Amino acid sequence: MQKIALITDSTCGLPQKYIQKYNVKTLNLSIIYKDKEYIDGIDITAEKVYEKLKEEIPTTSMPSIESANILVEKLIEDGYTHAICLPISSGLSGTINTFRLCASQYEDKIQCFVFDTKILSLGVGMLVIETGKMIEEGKSFQYICEQVPILRSKMSMYFTVDTLEYLIKGGRIGRVSGVLGELLSLKPIITMGEDGRYITHSKVRGSKQAINKLLKLGNEFLENGKCKIAIVTGTMHEEAKKLKQVFKEHPNTTFLEIGILTPVLGIHSGPQLIGLVVMKE
């Protein structure tokens, strides 16, 4: 009989209720300051990281292979025969390499499916939820492995940031185009490319228009059929609530959740980010 584990990393931003409901195992990334190292989401809060950004922008690191080995060895000890691994996009982090290396070391003891989500935050989180449902329903490992890419193909993610400063510093966008955007008050609507990296979907002038664009994008999906919606932010809580209220009233919204941008992601994007994830049914 198959016993399937579900593994992700700490950047997925899933509310704790889903982590518990679907027994999700998590590998944590690290946040590194000059004088101390913290574990993402464990011993430092998102709020604390964002408060300290003006003093110091820390670096981040992917989960260690040691931590991955410990996790998988515990799964084997607990009788798991298979594992579905859903990390952050390979285009944004090398975390998937930790998953792959660990899986290769234990392939004679547990069969692992490591999927490149090519998305981040609650985009990964929504895939985790849907995978958790299939495991709960008793679907086979092979069936789930076939369904995960199909589910991902139905997903889109868009986000905007109040300042381009952090994306420029992190090398996520060109310095020249970033500076020009700041000078002209242009706000990019960013989405995910086929390689799992950021690409610009469109540009608008000012924060208000950026929020309106996210609303428009979400409603366009909903007008074409039933969708699951997730909203993610670092510190733009009021804006996130407004988006949620609008989508809540649409009859084609079948799932709606707000998630917090985890510190590791907020360091690279800046905390004033608001994003939208849509999964078509």
Side-chain angles (χ1 to χ4, degrees), residues 27 62-71 97-103 105-106:
L27 282 177
M62 59 189 185
S64 67
I65 188 63
E66 290 80 12
S67 64
N69 288 347
I70 290 170
L71 172 58
N97 295 326
T98 298
F99 281 75
R100 286 171 172 163
L101 178 58
C102 180
Q105 292 177 344
Y106 293 93

Side-chain angles (χ1 to χ4, degrees), residues 5-280:
L6 179 52
I7 310 173
T8 188
D9 66 68
S10 59
T11 66
C12 76
L14 263 184
Q16 195 61 32
K17 62 183 178 182
Y18 297 109
I19 298 289
Q20 294 173 348
K21 178 174 175 57
Y22 298 113
N23 193 24
V24 182
K25 313 300 181 184
T26 306
L27 282 177
N28 297 87
L29 283 77
S30 298
I31 299 166
I32 306 165
Y33 288 93
K34 292 175 183 176
D35 61 345
K36 192 170 182 180
E37 182 173 329
Y38 297 91
I39 301 173
D40 185 33
I42 299 294
D43 53 8
I44 190 167
T45 64
E47 290 76 14
K48 188 65 176 177
V49 173
Y50 298 151
E51 284 174 13
K52 295 177 66 175
L53 279 178
K54 290 182 180 178
E55 304 167 22
E56 180 185 352
I57 299 178
T59 57
T60 61
S61 69
M62 59 189 185
S64 67
I65 188 63
E66 290 80 12
S67 64
N69 288 347
I70 290 170
L71 172 58
V72 171
E73 286 173 7
K74 182 66 167 63
L75 292 176
I76 294 167
E77 183 182 317
D78 291 342
Y80 284 92
T81 58
H82 299 76
I84 309 288
C85 307
L86 303 172
I88 185 175
S89 170
S90 64
L92 300 175
S93 169
T95 297
I96 193 170
N97 295 326
T98 298
F99 281 75
R100 286 171 172 163
L101 178 58
C102 180
S104 68
Q105 292 177 344
Y106 293 93
E107 60 187 2
D108 59 332
K109 296 179 180 178
I110 185 170
Q111 188 175 347
C112 298
F113 173 58
V114 181
F115 178 68
D116 188 353
T117 63
K118 295 186 179 179
I119 204 165
L120 70 155
S121 190
L122 274 183
V124 177
M126 288 177 76
L127 279 175
V128 170
I129 290 173
E130 296 304 311
T131 302
K133 288 178 183 177
M134 289 188 283
I135 294 172
E136 190 175 64
E137 291 166 359
K139 303 296 186 184
S140 71
F141 178 73
Q142 182 177 348
Y143 176 85
I144 296 171
C145 292
E146 292 169 352
Q147 290 301 307
V148 168
I150 295 172
L151 288 168
R152 174 61 185 90
S153 71
K154 297 178 180 180
M155 296 180 68
S156 298
M157 182 175 189
Y158 306 93
F159 69 90
T160 188
V161 290
D162 195 56
T163 174
L164 298 172
E165 173 188 358
Y166 299 95
L167 290 174
I168 294 170
K169 288 180 177 177
R172 304 296 187 190
I173 61 173
R175 182 170 297 276
V176 173
S177 61
V179 171
L180 286 174
E182 295 277 62
L183 290 172
L184 297 171
S185 296
L186 293 176
K187 305 296 180 187
I189 305 298
I190 300 167
T191 188
M192 307 304 297
E194 291 185 4
D195 61 354
R197 299 178 186 271
Y198 299 148
I199 59 171
T200 300
H201 172 271
S202 53
K203 293 179 182 178
V204 296
R205 194 177 296 277
S207 298
K208 185 176 180 180
Q209 290 303 313
I211 300 297
N212 288 339
K213 182 66 173 178
L214 292 178
L215 278 170
K216 182 180 179 182
L217 287 166
N219 278 318
E220 285 174 355
F221 279 99
L222 289 167
E223 288 302 315
N224 288 316
K226 295 187 181 299
C227 298
K228 296 179 172 68
I229 302 283
I231 300 159
V232 59
T233 188
T235 57
M236 299 175 71
H237 303 298
E238 289 305 313
E239 291 84 352
K241 288 177 184 176
K242 289 176 183 177
L243 286 176
K244 182 178 181 180
Q245 187 57 42
V246 173
F247 294 133
K248 183 179 180 181
E249 294 171 0
H250 200 291
N252 279 340
T253 301
T254 60
F255 171 93
L256 185 57
E257 189 66 75
I258 293 179
I260 299 300
L261 190 72
T262 63
V264 163
L265 294 179
I267 288 165
H268 295 290
S269 67
Q272 289 184 290
L273 173 149
I274 185 160
L276 171 69
V277 183
V278 182
M279 177 184 281
K280 294 183 289 186

